Amino acid sequence: MSASFHELIRCNGVGKAYPTEAGPVPALGATDLALEEGETVALVGPSGCGKSTLLLIMAGLERPSVGGVEFKGTPLARPHREIALVLQDYGLFPWKTVRRNVELGLKIRREHVESQRVDSMLAELDIGDKGHVYPQQLSGGQKQRVALARALILKPSLLLLDEPFAAIDALTRERLQDLVAEAWRRRRFGLVVVTHNLQEAVMLGRRICVMGNVPGEILDTVENPRACAPDYRRTDEFYEVCRAVRCRLEQNL
Ligand code: ADP
Ligand code: MG
């Protein structure tokens, strides 16, 4: 069996300049990034360095200006059913209950919706009692749980999170990171999380890619093999890695 058999996604020299009336806006320099199946990567870097652009390209939602993306060995030209994306603004439909929001992706795919599967997904994300409620009755943290449930129920092999918890208070944010880590331990999907929160990057990314410059590029990579382990946040190693990532970020500012 070749090593590439387990490769999930590969960005080959992917770069992007957005066409605008004032001319092209450079957003991302030629970037290489590959993930094995079940691998987790955090992308950190200052605002405007192209993190979201790279994530949207990996989701098949933006076309790169140069380079290309392969998902499981096949060129990625459009959104793929095994790739799920969760954004900061939740993207919930306000006129649908929590349960209907979570079922939505399954329904769009014309898959049978087993109510037990929805129940256990809601319970896993600590919103087991919210199925009948509408999004406006939920806190930000609860809304993001719904968005995660809606993505996870589709059993993605690649989950992309773009600053998912940026608008959420610190303790709730840690709980949500733990929920993502627990979900990952159970399912071992590939994960790319964009964040400018160092602790979030270290909790979730087994590799932490430090981005910078304009147009952005990956300047440095920190290995972090214990990411997603239970209670990692309370260990000395966690603080060591946070410090290492902070140093790399400051060096590149
Ligand atoms: P980040 O997520 O790291 O903050 P982005 O990928 O959103 O960075 O943006 C990188 C650069 O591309 C920024 O200069 C931003 O203004 C620009 N940009 C992003 N999206 C667009 C767009 N749709 N049209 C034009 N410029 C854009
Ligand atoms: Mg962004």
Side-chain angles (χ1 to χ4, degrees), residues 28-45:
L28 185 68
T31 297
D32 296 319
L33 179 66
L35 264 82
E36 303 281 294
E37 286 182 9
E39 198 183 1
T40 78
V41 168
L43 301 175
V44 290

Side-chain angles (χ1 to χ4, degrees), residues 51-52 162-163 194:
K51 304 182 298 296
S52 295
D162 193 357
E163 306 213 30
V194 165

Side-chain angles (χ1 to χ4, degrees), residues 69-125:
V69 180
E70 283 180 12
F71 183 76
K72 293 190 168 178
T74 305
L76 181 75
R78 61 186 66 83
H80 189 289
R81 59 188 290 125
E82 289 183 39
I83 304 178
L85 173 67
V86 176
L87 305 170
Q88 188 186 325
D89 70 357
Y90 325 118
L92 304 180
F93 291 104
W95 61 88
K96 288 183 186 286
T97 62
V98 164
R99 171 176 285 276
R100 298 282 172 251
N101 267 288
V102 170
E103 291 170 349
L104 194 68
L106 292 171
K107 287 197 167 150
I108 289 170
R109 290 181 182 182
R110 298 177 193 279
E111 281 183 33
H112 175 60
V113 178
E114 277 171 67
S115 64
Q116 221 181 337
R117 187 167 151 201
V118 180
D119 289 338
S120 67
M121 199 70 247
L122 294 175
E124 183 179 337
L125 289 167

Side-chain angles (χ1 to χ4, degrees), residues 228-239:
C228 290
D231 285 327
Y232 181 36
R233 195 180 283 108
R234 288 174 192 81
T235 65
D236 292 342
E237 187 182 345
F238 181 84
Y239 287 101

Side-chain angles (χ1 to χ4, degrees), residues 18-20 25-27 45-54 62 162-163 194:
Y18 289 99
T20 69
V25 174
S47 281
C49 74
K51 304 182 298 296
S52 295
T53 299
L54 179 55
E62 277 292 351
D162 193 357
E163 306 213 30
V194 165

